[in-house]
Amino acid sequence: MIFKVYFQDNFTQVPVRENTKSIYIEGESEQDVRLKLKDHQYNIEFVTPVTGAFLEYEQQNEDFSVEKI
């Protein structure tokens, strides 16, 4: 399953919406995705599964790529 992860680059700063980034990660569950990203020092705000029409819409974006971790 593919998950979209919203995060901040700097773990030590307070989250600011304008600095939020997102990546796509393949994993078994939200917990699995969080474990995979544990060593990246991301300040993870939200993890959501991407399926169905939402996945099709996201795949149309030229920047869409699933990270292999």
Side-chain angles (χ1 to χ4, degrees):
M1 178 176 265
I2 297 175
F3 290 84
K4 187 172 186 177
V5 179
Y6 297 91
F7 69 96
Q8 302 281 319
D9 279 330
N10 193 338
F11 191 78
T12 60
Q13 289 184 337
V14 175
V16 177
R17 180 174 287 295
E18 290 79 10
N19 296 334
T20 299
K21 298 179 181 178
S22 64
I23 56 172
Y24 300 92
I25 304 288
E26 192 167 344
E28 298 293 319
S29 65
E30 179 180 337
Q31 181 180 8
D32 181 43
V33 170
R34 287 181 180 271
L35 285 173
K36 288 180 178 182
L37 294 174
K38 185 172 96 173
D39 296 332
H40 287 78
Q41 296 298 312
Y42 291 153
N43 187 0
I44 298 174
E45 295 178 25
F46 190 66
V47 178
T48 185
V50 181
T51 59
F54 184 44
L55 177 59
E56 291 175 18
Y57 174 78
E58 292 291 336
Q59 287 174 333
Q60 292 175 7
N61 186 347
E62 63 188 36
D63 297 329
F64 178 84
S65 68
V66 178
E67 301 290 324
K68 303 285 184 188
I69 296 178

